[in-house]
Amino acid sequence: MTQDGKLVLAGAPIGQAGDVSPRLRQALESADVIAAEDTRRLRRLAHDIGAEISGRVVSYYDANEAGRAQELVETLKEGRTVVVITDAGMPGVSDPGYRLTHLAVEAGVTVTALPGPSAVTTALAISGLPSDRFCFEGFPPRKGGERARRLGALAAEERTMVFFEAPHRLAGSLAAMAAAFGDDRPAAVCRELTKTYEEVRRGGLAELAAWAEAGVKGEITVVVAGHTAEAGGQDIEALVAEVDRRAEAGTQRKQAVADVAKEAGIPKRELYDAVHRRSPTP
C-alpha cells in the first residue's frame, strides 16, 4: 500500500542555473529532506536561484549510496518528502539515485520526478546524428581489455550511441571506438554543454581521437552513429571485432562469422576473408 511519503527525483542544470524550473525551486524549498550528491553545490545552486532551503540536507553520493538509501526509505515511510538531486542532470542516469528509487518502489512509496536538462538528450539533439532511435551506454570501462570487449559487443548496434567520458580518458576511448566501430564512423564530441565554453566537435572517430590527443577539458558527452547495413571500408573491422568477441565467449569462429554477417547484411565470404586476414586460423 502506498505510503504518504514522496520521493522526488530532481533534474539539476547541466551548466546554467537559469535552466532551473519554478517547480524545482519550489521542491527545494518545501522538501523535508534533500539528498544531494554534493551539499556544497546544492547550496550554491540554491543561492543562485534564490531558493531558501528549510529542510534537512544530507549527502548522497557513490560511496554512501547503499547505506544512505535505506535510511532515506525509512524517512519516506514516516510520510516525509525526500528530494534527490545530483551535481547535474537526472538522478539515476550515471549518478546516484537508482538504489533509492528501487527501494522506494518496493516499499510502496510514491516516486515522481522533476524533469530537467540532460546531457544525454542535449548532446544527441545537437550532434547532427540520427536521433529517432538511440541508446545510452554510460561511461566505457576504464581498463583497455574490458573496454575493447564492451565496444566490440556494440559493433553491430544500429542505434545512435551516447557515452559519457572523463577528459583524461577521452583520447583513449575514441581510439578504442575507432578500432571497434571503424575509423570513419561519424561521431560528435560535445564538451561543456550549455556552458560558456560549449564546443561540439564532429568527424570520424579516428579524426576525433587524434584531435583529443592534445588534451580536452570539461564535461564530455560522446555521440556515435550506429552501424549501417552497408558495412564497407573500416566498418568491416568492427564486424571482425564482433566475431572475435563471440569466439572468445565460446562460439565457434565459423559460426560467429555466419551469424555476424547475417546480422550485418553482408556476404559471409566477405567477412570470412576479413577475419582470415586478421586471424589465419578462423
Side-chain angles (χ1 to χ4, degrees):
M1 186 171 72
T2 301
Q3 307 292 326
D4 291 333
K6 180 186 292 186
L7 175 63
V8 182
L9 304 174
I14 60 176
Q16 297 288 338
D19 291 335
V20 166
S21 70
R23 288 185 63 209
L24 176 56
R25 182 183 295 106
Q26 181 182 22
L28 293 177
E29 292 183 333
S30 62
D32 297 305
V33 177
I34 301 176
E37 184 177 15
D38 187 324
T39 58
R40 291 171 298 180
R41 293 185 69 162
L42 166 66
R43 295 194 183 280
R44 188 182 314 132
L45 174 63
H47 176 270
D48 290 344
I49 65 175
E52 296 184 5
I53 296 176
S54 59
R56 182 164 59 97
V57 175
V58 299
S59 61
Y60 182 62
Y61 56 99
D62 290 338
N64 74 352
E65 182 179 6
R68 182 55 55 82
Q70 190 59 59
E71 296 175 20
L72 292 171
V73 166
E74 296 305 317
T75 299
L76 289 163
K77 288 180 178 180
E78 295 171 359
R80 301 184 183 281
T81 297
V82 175
V83 170
V84 176
I85 187 167
T86 57
D87 292 347
M90 201 68 192
V93 181
S94 284
D95 275 326
Y98 163 73
R99 288 184 177 87
L100 176 56
T101 301
H102 179 73
L103 291 175
V105 170
E106 283 192 331
V109 172
T110 297
V111 179
T112 188
L114 291 177
S118 164
V120 176
T121 52
T122 301
L124 178 68
I126 66 176
S127 68
L129 298 172
S131 57
D132 53 334
R133 298 176 66 234
F134 73 94
C135 57
F136 174 57
E137 292 295 327
F139 284 89
R142 297 185 180 189
K143 296 182 178 179
E146 185 180 349
R147 181 173 59 193
R149 286 190 291 273
R150 177 79 61 81
L151 295 175
L154 294 169
E157 174 58 65
E158 297 179 353
R159 295 171 294 179
T160 298
M161 296 167 281
V162 183
F163 300 85
F164 287 161
E165 188 52 289
H168 62 283
R169 292 197 298 269
L170 178 62
S173 283
L174 288 171
M177 290 177 188
F181 305 148
D183 288 351
D184 297 325
R185 179 77 70 90
V189 176
C190 305
R191 186 180 72 85
E192 293 290 88
L193 288 170
T194 78
K195 300 177 185 178
T196 302
Y197 297 104
E198 175 179 291
E199 178 183 17
V200 180
R201 193 89 176 195
R202 302 175 180 89
L205 283 168
E207 175 190 348
L208 291 172
W211 162 76
E213 283 290 346
V216 180
K217 296 181 180 180
E219 300 287 336
I220 305 293
T221 305
V222 180
V223 186
V224 182
H227 169 73
T228 58
E230 297 78 22
Q234 291 293 338
D235 266 352
I236 281 290
E237 294 303 315
L239 301 182
V240 170
E242 175 62 9
V243 169
D244 290 342
R245 186 192 69 81
R246 297 189 186 192
E248 290 176 4
T251 302
Q252 288 190 349
R253 192 170 293 272
K254 184 177 181 180
Q255 184 62 49
V257 169
D259 292 344
V260 173
K262 182 178 180 180
E263 293 169 9
I266 67 170
K268 181 170 64 175
R269 169 56 60 181
E270 181 181 348
L271 181 57
Y272 178 89
D273 290 344
V275 169
H276 185 71
R277 287 194 295 270
R278 284 271 303 271
S279 306
T281 56

